[in-house]
Amino acid sequence: MRIGELAAATGTTSRALRHYEHEGLIGSVREANGYRVYDERAAVRVRNIRHLLDAGLTLADVRCFAGCLDGDMTTAQPSPVGLRIARERLALIDARLAAQTAARDRLARALAAAQPPPEAQLTPEAQPPPGAPFTPPPRPRPPAGSRP
């Protein structure tokens, strides 16, 4: 089957398929006109690649599963190596989430600290009417000769 047919059969894009091929995860042969032709097993491999990527693994992780990509990975018992790779990826995702949560919390605290005291906030009478365009307050000009 040609690349467009494989893309349609697996719900992916031709670009992704070329990338998987470049990464050595799938293979094709070239016709005389240069078109890629894939055998029927390529669809199984691509579905398994997508299954692993959708689970949160990276293409580098998927390379470790290259020997298993031709089988039914959705129902197969995971190997110890596969479990180790998944646990390592999960730990990395958890660390990134913790770092992002910490950054979000710092920003929320900074915004809360930057809020003017209640007496300095606009009274309802001084609020612009609904739908009025937002006009930011003027920014103070730096002293002459200073750099921003």
PDB file of all heavy atoms in Angstrom, residues 94-109:
ATOM      1  N   ASP A  94       5.859  13.323  35.935  1.00  0.00           N
ATOM      2  CA  ASP A  94       5.506  13.802  37.268  1.00  0.00           C
ATOM      3  C   ASP A  94       6.428  14.937  37.711  1.00  0.00           C
ATOM      4  O   ASP A  94       5.973  15.921  38.294  1.00  0.00           O
ATOM      5  CB  ASP A  94       5.554  12.662  38.291  1.00  0.00           C
ATOM      6  CG  ASP A  94       4.372  11.717  38.187  1.00  0.00           C
ATOM      7  OD1 ASP A  94       3.340  12.101  37.582  1.00  0.00           O
ATOM      8  OD2 ASP A  94       4.471  10.591  38.716  1.00  0.00           O
ATOM      9  N   ALA A  95       7.724  14.820  37.445  1.00  0.00           N
ATOM     10  CA  ALA A  95       8.676  15.873  37.808  1.00  0.00           C
ATOM     11  C   ALA A  95       8.370  17.162  37.047  1.00  0.00           C
ATOM     12  O   ALA A  95       8.420  18.255  37.621  1.00  0.00           O
ATOM     13  CB  ALA A  95      10.110  15.412  37.535  1.00  0.00           C
ATOM     14  N   ARG A  96       8.042  17.032  35.768  1.00  0.00           N
ATOM     15  CA  ARG A  96       7.703  18.225  34.980  1.00  0.00           C
ATOM     16  C   ARG A  96       6.412  18.871  35.484  1.00  0.00           C
ATOM     17  O   ARG A  96       6.305  20.095  35.553  1.00  0.00           O
ATOM     18  CB  ARG A  96       7.567  17.867  33.505  1.00  0.00           C
ATOM     19  CG  ARG A  96       8.898  17.566  32.854  1.00  0.00           C
ATOM     20  CD  ARG A  96       8.728  17.167  31.409  1.00  0.00           C
ATOM     21  NE  ARG A  96      10.007  16.905  30.795  1.00  0.00           N
ATOM     22  CZ  ARG A  96      10.157  16.295  29.639  1.00  0.00           C
ATOM     23  NH1 ARG A  96       9.090  15.878  28.965  1.00  0.00           N
ATOM     24  NH2 ARG A  96      11.352  16.092  29.133  1.00  0.00           N
ATOM     25  N   LEU A  97       5.425  18.038  35.826  1.00  0.00           N
ATOM     26  CA  LEU A  97       4.177  18.573  36.381  1.00  0.00           C
ATOM     27  C   LEU A  97       4.432  19.299  37.695  1.00  0.00           C
ATOM     28  O   LEU A  97       3.867  20.373  37.943  1.00  0.00           O
ATOM     29  CB  LEU A  97       3.162  17.451  36.590  1.00  0.00           C
ATOM     30  CG  LEU A  97       2.426  16.971  35.357  1.00  0.00           C
ATOM     31  CD1 LEU A  97       1.629  15.707  35.680  1.00  0.00           C
ATOM     32  CD2 LEU A  97       1.498  18.044  34.837  1.00  0.00           C
ATOM     33  N   ALA A  98       5.271  18.730  38.547  1.00  0.00           N
ATOM     34  CA  ALA A  98       5.583  19.372  39.819  1.00  0.00           C
ATOM     35  C   ALA A  98       6.277  20.714  39.593  1.00  0.00           C
ATOM     36  O   ALA A  98       5.955  21.707  40.261  1.00  0.00           O
ATOM     37  CB  ALA A  98       6.456  18.453  40.677  1.00  0.00           C
ATOM     38  N   ALA A  99       7.198  20.760  38.639  1.00  0.00           N
ATOM     39  CA  ALA A  99       7.885  22.022  38.333  1.00  0.00           C
ATOM     40  C   ALA A  99       6.908  23.056  37.785  1.00  0.00           C
ATOM     41  O   ALA A  99       6.953  24.230  38.161  1.00  0.00           O
ATOM     42  CB  ALA A  99       9.023  21.777  37.343  1.00  0.00           C
ATOM     43  N   GLN A 100       6.004  22.629  36.914  1.00  0.00           N
ATOM     44  CA  GLN A 100       5.008  23.554  36.365  1.00  0.00           C
ATOM     45  C   GLN A 100       4.040  24.029  37.443  1.00  0.00           C
ATOM     46  O   GLN A 100       3.652  25.196  37.465  1.00  0.00           O
ATOM     47  CB  GLN A 100       4.238  22.895  35.216  1.00  0.00           C
ATOM     48  CG  GLN A 100       5.058  22.740  33.954  1.00  0.00           C
ATOM     49  CD  GLN A 100       5.390  24.093  33.344  1.00  0.00           C
ATOM     50  OE1 GLN A 100       4.516  24.889  33.052  1.00  0.00           O
ATOM     51  NE2 GLN A 100       6.675  24.343  33.172  1.00  0.00           N
ATOM     52  N   THR A 101       3.648  23.137  38.345  1.00  0.00           N
ATOM     53  CA  THR A 101       2.746  23.522  39.434  1.00  0.00           C
ATOM     54  C   THR A 101       3.437  24.524  40.354  1.00  0.00           C
ATOM     55  O   THR A 101       2.821  25.509  40.780  1.00  0.00           O
ATOM     56  CB  THR A 101       2.297  22.272  40.223  1.00  0.00           C
ATOM     57  OG1 THR A 101       1.610  21.402  39.316  1.00  0.00           O
ATOM     58  CG2 THR A 101       1.388  22.637  41.371  1.00  0.00           C
ATOM     59  N   ALA A 102       4.707  24.299  40.641  1.00  0.00           N
ATOM     60  CA  ALA A 102       5.452  25.240  41.479  1.00  0.00           C
ATOM     61  C   ALA A 102       5.555  26.604  40.799  1.00  0.00           C
ATOM     62  O   ALA A 102       5.380  27.642  41.450  1.00  0.00           O
ATOM     63  CB  ALA A 102       6.840  24.687  41.794  1.00  0.00           C
ATOM     64  N   ALA A 103       5.819  26.616  39.495  1.00  0.00           N
ATOM     65  CA  ALA A 103       5.889  27.886  38.763  1.00  0.00           C
ATOM     66  C   ALA A 103       4.538  28.582  38.766  1.00  0.00           C
ATOM     67  O   ALA A 103       4.448  29.799  38.954  1.00  0.00           O
ATOM     68  CB  ALA A 103       6.367  27.641  37.331  1.00  0.00           C
ATOM     69  N   ARG A 104       3.466  27.817  38.592  1.00  0.00           N
ATOM     70  CA  ARG A 104       2.128  28.390  38.604  1.00  0.00           C
ATOM     71  C   ARG A 104       1.816  28.986  39.973  1.00  0.00           C
ATOM     72  O   ARG A 104       1.274  30.085  40.076  1.00  0.00           O
ATOM     73  CB  ARG A 104       1.096  27.303  38.276  1.00  0.00           C
ATOM     74  CG  ARG A 104      -0.305  27.820  38.187  1.00  0.00           C
ATOM     75  CD  ARG A 104      -1.265  26.870  38.903  1.00  0.00           C
ATOM     76  NE  ARG A 104      -2.566  27.454  38.989  1.00  0.00           N
ATOM     77  CZ  ARG A 104      -2.974  28.180  40.024  1.00  0.00           C
ATOM     78  NH1 ARG A 104      -2.183  28.392  41.034  1.00  0.00           N
ATOM     79  NH2 ARG A 104      -4.177  28.684  40.042  1.00  0.00           N
ATOM     80  N   ASP A 105       2.180  28.280  41.028  1.00  0.00           N
ATOM     81  CA  ASP A 105       1.926  28.775  42.377  1.00  0.00           C
ATOM     82  C   ASP A 105       2.714  30.055  42.658  1.00  0.00           C
ATOM     83  O   ASP A 105       2.188  30.989  43.286  1.00  0.00           O
ATOM     84  CB  ASP A 105       2.255  27.701  43.417  1.00  0.00           C
ATOM     85  CG  ASP A 105       1.293  26.518  43.361  1.00  0.00           C
ATOM     86  OD1 ASP A 105       0.225  26.632  42.712  1.00  0.00           O
ATOM     87  OD2 ASP A 105       1.617  25.467  43.959  1.00  0.00           O
ATOM     88  N   ARG A 106       3.976  30.114  42.200  1.00  0.00           N
ATOM     89  CA  ARG A 106       4.762  31.345  42.387  1.00  0.00           C
ATOM     90  C   ARG A 106       4.117  32.513  41.661  1.00  0.00           C
ATOM     91  O   ARG A 106       4.026  33.616  42.200  1.00  0.00           O
ATOM     92  CB  ARG A 106       6.198  31.132  41.887  1.00  0.00           C
ATOM     93  CG  ARG A 106       7.047  30.273  42.808  1.00  0.00           C
ATOM     94  CD  ARG A 106       8.522  30.289  42.415  1.00  0.00           C
ATOM     95  NE  ARG A 106       8.763  29.873  41.048  1.00  0.00           N
ATOM     96  CZ  ARG A 106       8.928  28.611  40.659  1.00  0.00           C
ATOM     97  NH1 ARG A 106       8.868  27.635  41.530  1.00  0.00           N
ATOM     98  NH2 ARG A 106       9.162  28.328  39.390  1.00  0.00           N
ATOM     99  N   LEU A 107       3.664  32.267  40.442  1.00  0.00           N
ATOM    100  CA  LEU A 107       3.020  33.331  39.674  1.00  0.00           C
ATOM    101  C   LEU A 107       1.719  33.771  40.333  1.00  0.00           C
ATOM    102  O   LEU A 107       1.433  34.969  40.424  1.00  0.00           O
ATOM    103  CB  LEU A 107       2.761  32.861  38.237  1.00  0.00           C
ATOM    104  CG  LEU A 107       2.127  33.882  37.300  1.00  0.00           C
ATOM    105  CD1 LEU A 107       2.972  35.148  37.210  1.00  0.00           C
ATOM    106  CD2 LEU A 107       1.937  33.275  35.923  1.00  0.00           C
ATOM    107  N   ALA A 108       0.934  32.819  40.821  1.00  0.00           N
ATOM    108  CA  ALA A 108      -0.320  33.169  41.500  1.00  0.00           C
ATOM    109  C   ALA A 108      -0.042  34.002  42.746  1.00  0.00           C
ATOM    110  O   ALA A 108      -0.750  34.991  43.007  1.00  0.00           O
ATOM    111  CB  ALA A 108      -1.096  31.898  41.858  1.00  0.00           C
ATOM    112  N   ARG A 109       0.998  33.644  43.520  1.00  0.00           N
ATOM    113  CA  ARG A 109       1.350  34.438  44.704  1.00  0.00           C
ATOM    114  C   ARG A 109       1.806  35.839  44.311  1.00  0.00           C
ATOM    115  O   ARG A 109       1.444  36.817  44.966  1.00  0.00           O
ATOM    116  CB  ARG A 109       2.429  33.726  45.518  1.00  0.00           C
ATOM    117  CG  ARG A 109       1.911  32.558  46.334  1.00  0.00           C
ATOM    118  CD  ARG A 109       2.955  32.052  47.331  1.00  0.00           C
ATOM    119  NE  ARG A 109       4.205  31.636  46.716  1.00  0.00           N
ATOM    120  CZ  ARG A 109       4.428  30.408  46.219  1.00  0.00           C
ATOM    121  NH1 ARG A 109       3.473  29.503  46.263  1.00  0.00           N
ATOM    122  NH2 ARG A 109       5.595  30.118  45.699  1.00  0.00           N
TER     123      ARG A 109
END
